[in-house]
Amino acid sequence: MPNEPYDYSAGRPADPISPYIPPQGGQNRQASARSTGAEGELGRAVSELAGSIRREVAPALRGAGREVGAAMRQVGKQMGPAMQQAGESLRRAAEQARAAQTAQAARQQALRSGQAERRRMGFNRSLAQFGGGFCAFWSVLFSAVFFTLLGEGFGLGEAFLALALAAGAGFGAFSLLRKAGRWKRARRYRDFLSGWAGCTLKELSGSTGKSVEYLQKDLQTLIGGRYLRGAFLDARDQILFADEASYREYLDERRAREQAAKARREEEARRAAAAAAPARPAHEEFCEEAGSFLQQLSALRAEIADPLVLEQADQLAKIVGEIRDWVAGHPASLPKVKRLTGYYLPTTLKLLRTYTSVDSNPGPTAQNICQNITGILHTFNTGLLTMQDSLLEDTALDVSAEISVLESMLQQEGLTGTADFAPLALRGEPEDPEAGEAPRLELPGGGQ
């Protein structure tokens, strides 16, 4: 090839120049080992740094998280009632607005109904007046015919027919005109009630000038004859109501007042009876409560199947019964066991009821509950035994004092065989200090 280098010494082309290949000897391996060691040290340093960060930063982060959580809970506690109060205020405002709208609609409906009712009353009154006037005209006309026929000598049949027609027309005129008067009074009463739920007959009497007795009878007649439609009269309290809703509301309020007054009277009577009755001894109440516990425990025992729990329940009943009997005979020891019926026994009954309700459940949680209750029963029985022993402390002191006094008396009387406490007569000392020297005893053999 024309461009290849030529080796003139050998008479042949020279080898192409090869790229540089670094040596693969021991120096390269040492450099690689040093690089690997440096990387390992760097990794260990990074791991130690990460572990240090976890050890130092993680607790700080957890502490900060707890502080932030506590702060958020505190804010929630502070803001929660305020938000609840605000929500309650908004709810009350909405309810008041709805109530106001409802009341406004009811007032408008009542106003429209009242106007329609007054128009109806006015129309019926006018109609009654017109009918009464028409009947009165015919009554006068037939009366004139009757007198004409009677004066001109016509037959009595025609005259009495005219008289009957005149009387009938007159009675119709009277009835219709009386109805017109009732419609007028009903319209007046309705106008007085306009815009009000009701009024007392005394107030209505002041407006109409009629007596309360007259108004009561008149209103009963008008309401019964449907002149005052929708109105209600409470004869007991003498109150006229414009509609049924107002009347029912008043009845409910009156019933509530009567029930409250009755409850107040019963409570006052109970307090008076309790004040008059002698106070019941506290130890009797304790014994009664302990007896009630034993009855309930006996009822629960029938629902318990575990022999260990039954044994603990029987031991509990035995100890409680003994404590009850002791307190019944020694009322002064009640303060030492007063908490028994106030807390321990009710709590034990609650635990036993829980045991009977979950005992049939095969789950691990139910079994754990049953085991815990069984353990506390044993602990409670141990505590009751300690309480029972404490009841005997005063008795032990009293017995010890009595024994000491008895021993002293026996020693003083010389009944224990102790020479120091021999009878005074045998020691030659006067029994009575004022008797002087005691007489000497004459012993057999001339001795003294």
Side-chain angles (χ1 to χ4, degrees):
M1 295 178 66
N3 293 329
E4 291 182 354
Y6 189 81
D7 187 0
Y8 294 97
S9 62
R12 59 182 179 82
D15 293 332
I17 299 174
S18 62
Y20 174 76
I21 299 174
Q24 302 296 325
Q27 295 180 355
N28 188 21
R29 287 194 297 271
Q30 292 176 0
S32 176
R34 285 196 299 271
S35 176
T36 303
E39 291 178 357
E41 292 178 358
L42 179 62
R44 285 193 298 273
V46 171
S47 299
E48 292 177 358
L49 179 61
S52 176
I53 291 174
R54 284 196 301 270
R55 288 191 300 272
E56 297 179 2
V57 176
L61 290 177
R62 286 195 296 270
R66 286 193 295 269
E67 292 178 359
V68 171
M72 294 299 293
R73 286 192 297 272
Q74 187 67 23
V75 171
K77 291 180 180 179
Q78 295 177 356
M79 295 296 295
M83 296 298 294
Q84 185 177 3
Q85 185 176 3
E88 187 68 20
S89 299
L90 291 175
R91 186 184 62 80
R92 287 196 299 267
E95 290 179 354
Q96 292 175 358
R98 287 195 297 269
Q101 293 176 357
T102 303
Q104 181 66 22
R107 284 194 296 270
Q108 293 178 356
Q109 180 65 26
L111 181 61
R112 290 193 294 269
S113 300
Q115 292 175 353
E117 186 67 16
R118 283 191 291 273
R119 287 195 297 268
R120 184 184 72 87
M121 290 179 176
F123 174 76
N124 290 335
R125 178 191 174 190
S126 298
L127 185 62
Q129 288 177 340
F130 175 78
F134 182 77
C135 290
F137 168 76
W138 283 106
S139 177
V140 172
L141 180 62
F142 284 121
S143 297
V145 170
F146 168 72
F147 288 109
T148 301
L149 294 176
L150 190 62
E152 293 183 359
F154 285 92
L156 294 177
E158 292 81 356
F160 281 110
L161 178 59
L163 179 60
L165 292 174
F171 179 78
F174 171 77
S175 299
L176 290 173
L177 292 176
R178 185 176 62 176
K179 282 188 176 183
R182 289 177 177 177
W183 283 115
K184 180 181 179 180
R185 295 195 303 276
R187 172 72 179 272
R188 186 176 181 180
Y189 299 151
R190 179 65 69 179
D191 290 339
F192 184 80
L193 284 175
S194 179
W196 297 91
C199 68
T200 63
L201 296 188
K202 185 177 293 185
E203 295 173 341
L204 189 59
S205 175
S207 174
T208 59
K210 303 293 184 180
S211 65
V212 174
E213 291 76 11
Y214 171 83
L215 290 176
Q216 184 170 348
K217 294 179 181 179
D218 191 29
L219 287 171
Q220 289 176 349
T221 301
L222 296 179
I223 293 174
R226 297 185 60 80
Y227 293 93
L228 278 171
R229 291 195 308 184
F232 285 84
L233 176 65
D234 186 78
R236 170 183 163 182
D237 295 338
Q238 295 183 340
I239 300 176
L240 176 64
F241 294 94
D243 50 34
E244 183 179 3
S246 301
Y247 179 59
R248 298 302 178 190
E249 182 178 357
Y250 174 77
L251 289 180
D252 293 339
E253 293 179 356
R254 185 173 68 183
R255 190 178 300 108
R257 289 196 304 269
E258 291 175 350
Q259 291 177 354
K262 181 180 179 181
R264 186 168 55 253
R265 290 193 300 269
E266 292 178 352
E267 180 66 18
E268 292 176 355
R270 186 185 64 79
R271 291 180 179 178
R280 188 179 182 186
H283 72 281
E284 292 184 2
E285 295 182 359
F286 173 86
C287 294
E288 182 178 351
E289 293 174 358
S292 175
F293 167 80
L294 293 176
Q295 291 178 358
Q296 298 180 60
L297 180 61
S298 177
L300 286 174
R301 190 183 183 282
E303 303 178 16
I304 299 174
D306 190 347
L308 181 59
V309 180
L310 285 175
E311 180 183 355
Q312 296 295 331
D314 293 340
Q315 184 180 5
L316 174 61
K318 179 177 179 295
I319 299 173
V320 172
E322 292 175 352
I323 292 177
R324 179 194 61 181
D325 297 340
W326 178 267
V327 172
H330 303 81
S333 61
L334 177 61
K336 292 186 177 182
V337 296
K338 191 173 183 180
R339 195 172 179 83
L340 183 63
T341 56
Y343 174 74
Y344 293 121
L345 297 185
T347 304
T348 304
L349 280 178
K350 181 179 178 182
L351 291 175
L352 286 174
R353 290 192 181 99
T354 304
Y355 178 89
T356 57
S357 62
V358 303
D359 185 33
S360 59
N361 194 323
T365 303
Q367 297 304 317
N368 188 26
I369 292 174
C370 293
Q371 291 177 2
N372 292 335
I373 293 176
T374 304
I376 196 61
L377 283 177
H378 176 73
T379 304
F380 182 53
N381 285 335
T382 304
L384 286 183
L385 289 174
T386 304
M387 181 183 293
Q388 188 178 16
D389 289 339
S390 68
L391 294 176
L392 301 177
E393 292 177 355
D394 296 338
T395 302
L397 292 175
D398 295 341
V399 169
S400 177
E402 291 290 341
I403 291 174
S404 299
V405 172
L406 181 60
E407 288 179 347
S408 299
M409 294 295 294
L410 290 173
Q411 289 176 357
Q412 290 177 4
E413 295 295 333
L415 301 177
T416 60
T418 303
D420 294 339
F421 292 93
L424 297 177
L426 296 178
R427 292 186 299 171
E429 297 181 2
E431 297 181 0
D432 189 357
E434 298 180 355
E437 184 178 359
R440 297 179 179 272
L441 296 177
E442 295 293 338
L443 299 177
Q448 293 183 354

